[in-house]
């Protein structure tokens, strides 16, 4: 866990903040996305990123370090077996925070923090192939349109009395 910041904590003491962030991280890894206040989401992001980085290493030492923060073994297992392999080739930036407006009751600014869906190499190659196909179709359709316009211009340029071919 990161060292608590000086000044006001999220809802109480440093120990309470540590437990609060651990529970938010557990929920994030369990559900993939959670809705919380912007302040909590901003404080959660570095904690979650650090835990995913440890899970990417995958050894027993890092598993035990993660278990110090997240005490639910099933969530830790999910983090190491399903979530971390998705980000194998990604050097960071595993989470995304999206602001969603204010809460109705107390007007607190709310946000959604979610795990970014990492593209696999195969999905990336498919995406590039689809983009190339779309470009080729667009270019061919513009070429056909240009040829049709040229044909119309040539027909319009012929004198009306000249029927010779």
């Amino acid at each position: 866990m990161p060292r608590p910041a000086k000044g006001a904590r999220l809802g109480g003491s440093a120990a309470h903040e540590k437990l609060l962030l651990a529970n938010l991280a557990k929920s994030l890894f369990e559900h993939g996305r959670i809705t919380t206040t912007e302040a909590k989401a901003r404080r959660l992001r570095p904690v979650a990123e650090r835990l995913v980085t440890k899970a990417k290493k995958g050894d027993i030492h890092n598993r035990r370090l993660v278990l110090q923060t997240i005490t639910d073994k099933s969530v830790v297992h999910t983090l190491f077996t399903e979530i971390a392999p998705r980000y194998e080739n990604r050097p960071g930036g595993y989470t995304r925070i999206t602001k969603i407006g204010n809460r109705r009751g107390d007007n607190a600014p709310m946000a959604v923090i979610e795990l970014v869906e990492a593209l696999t190499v195969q999905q990336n190659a498919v995406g590039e192939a689809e983009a190339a196909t779309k470009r080729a179709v667009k270019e061919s359709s513009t070429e056909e349109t240009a040829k049709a316009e040229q044909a119309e211009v040539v027909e319009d340029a012929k004198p009306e009395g000249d029927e010779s071919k």
Side-chain angles (χ1 to χ4, degrees):
M1 283 305 280
R3 188 169 166 212
K6 293 181 179 178
R9 309 279 193 281
L10 293 174
S13 66
H16 182 262
E17 181 183 42
K18 181 180 175 184
L19 290 172
L20 183 105
L21 291 174
N23 284 329
L24 284 171
K26 176 186 157 218
S27 296
L28 177 64
F29 296 136
E30 196 172 4
H31 301 290
R33 68 182 344 196
I34 56 173
T35 303
T36 185
T37 62
E38 284 182 29
K40 288 178 185 174
R42 281 194 223 114
R43 296 297 293 270
L44 174 61
R45 175 182 259 173
V47 174
E49 302 263 342
R50 229 174 257 119
L51 293 173
V52 172
T53 301
K54 288 178 183 173
K56 279 173 53 176
K57 294 177 185 170
D59 58 351
I60 190 71
H61 175 68
N62 284 299
R63 185 177 290 262
R64 287 178 178 160
L65 290 175
V66 170
L67 276 165
Q68 288 177 352
T69 303
I70 301 176
T71 55
D72 189 349
K73 289 183 181 180
S74 63
V75 174
V76 172
H77 178 73
T78 303
L79 175 62
F80 274 76
T81 58
E82 296 174 15
I83 297 172
R86 284 193 296 188
Y87 304 112
E88 182 180 337
N89 297 323
R90 192 179 183 104
Y94 314 116
T95 57
R96 173 187 306 128
I97 296 176
T98 308
K99 297 178 183 181
I100 59 170
N102 294 344
R103 186 162 47 201
R104 183 179 171 144
D106 60 355
N107 209 29
M110 300 296 286
V112 173
I113 183 166
E114 60 188 341
L115 295 171
V116 175
E117 294 301 320
L119 292 176
T120 62
V121 175
Q122 184 178 8
Q123 289 173 334
N124 198 11
V126 168
E128 289 174 3
E130 288 176 358
T133 304
K134 287 179 183 178
R135 279 194 303 269
V137 168
K138 186 176 179 181
E139 289 173 2
S140 66
S141 66
T142 54
E143 288 175 9
E144 292 172 2
T145 307
K147 287 179 182 178
E149 289 174 357
Q150 285 179 348
E152 289 175 5
V153 169
V154 169
E155 289 176 6
D156 291 342
K158 288 183 182 180
E160 289 181 16
D162 188 19
E163 295 292 327
S164 63
K165 290 187 178 181

